[in-house]
Amino acid sequence: GQQLNQSPQSMFIQEGEDVSMNCTSSSIFNTWLWYKQDPGEGPVLLIALYKAGELTSNGRLTAQFGITRKDSFLNISASIPSDVGIYFCAGPGTSGTYKYIFGTGTRLKVLA
Amino acid sequence: ETGVTQTPRHLVMGMTNKKSLKCEQHLGHNAMYWYKQSAKKPLELMFVYNFKEQTENNSVPSRFSPECPNSSHLFLHLHTLQPEDSALYLCASSQEGVAGGETQYFGPGTRLLVL
C-alpha cells in the first residue's frame, strides 16, 4: 500500500538554526500537506501544496512540492523554542480525497 | 467557539464500560473524520462521513461505533474496548467539493486510556 516516509525521525537543533525535513511517497501525489502537532494537541495545518514544483512560505516556514510529485520538503528558518513538536506530511490516498495518508512524523526539539 | 472541538479531552475507562467521544465543528464543513493516533505510528484513519453519510470504514472493529447526526457533529461510541485501544483519538473536518477543500482541520483530540 501507499506509504509516506519522513526523515529524519527526530532532530535536536540549537535555537536560531535552520531545519530541513522531507517526505517521500511510494506513489505520485497531487496534494501535499504539512502539519505540526504540539504535545497534547491535534495537528495544525501549516502549508498546503497543490502543484508540482510549487514553493510556498508561511512565515519562517517554506515547503516545496517535489517535481517528481513523490516528495515534499519543509524548511524552518531561524528556529525558536516554540517550533518544538512533531511535523507530519500528508497526501490523499489512491481511493480519493477522503482517505489521507500521513507520514510517521519528524520530532523536532529546539535547544535554547 | 471556532474550529473543531472535542470532548472529553481525557478519558479513562474499563474494558466493560461504554463511553462516547464527541466532536463538533464550527467551520461549515461537509466532511468529518475520526483518526486514531498511537505512539510511534502514523495517524490511522478510522471513519469518514460526508454530508452525514459514512463513506469510509477503514476496517475498524465493531467495538467502535460512529454516529453523525448532522454535518456539524460526530460521535464515536465505545464499548468493550481493549487496552491496545488506548490512544489519542482525533476528529477532523474538511469542506470537500471546492478547490483546496480537502484540507483537513483537526480537533485537540481525546486521550483515551483503557484499563
Side-chain angles (χ1 to χ4, degrees), chain B residues 91-110:
Chain B
C91 173
S93 70
S94 66
Q95 179 62 41
E96 299 297 335
V98 298
E102 69 281 356
T103 302
Q104 295 175 21
Y105 295 84
F106 286 83
T110 294

Side-chain angles (χ1 to χ4, degrees), chain B residues 57-112:
Chain B
N57 176 338
N58 203 23
S59 303
V60 181
S62 59
R63 57 186 184 270
F64 296 91
S65 173
E67 179 190 359
C68 188
N70 55 61
S71 292
S72 299
H73 293 86
L74 185 64
F75 295 89
L76 187 63
H77 303 298
L78 316 171
H79 61 99
T80 59
L81 293 192
Q82 304 297 312
E84 59 266 27
D85 296 323
S86 299
L88 182 68
Y89 288 85
L90 291 161
C91 173
S93 70
S94 66
Q95 179 62 41
E96 299 297 335
V98 298
E102 69 281 356
T103 302
Q104 295 175 21
Y105 295 84
F106 286 83
T110 294
R111 174 72 63 187
L112 174 67

Side-chain angles (χ1 to χ4, degrees), chain B residues 13-28:
Chain B
M13 59 188 287
M15 289 190 285
T16 58
N17 292 158
K18 287 185 181 181
K19 296 286 184 183
S20 295
L21 310 184
K22 179 183 175 183
C23 176
E24 185 173 359
Q25 58 97 357
H26 309 268
L27 301 169

Side-chain angles (χ1 to χ4, degrees), chain A residues 35 37 40 45 98-100, chain B residues 9 37 50 58 102-104:
Chain A
Y35 286 87
Q37 186 174 23
L45 182 69
Y98 297 132
K99 193 164 182 175
Y100 263 68
Chain B
R9 293 294 307 273
Q37 186 177 34
N50 196 31
N58 203 23
E102 69 281 356
T103 302
Q104 295 175 21

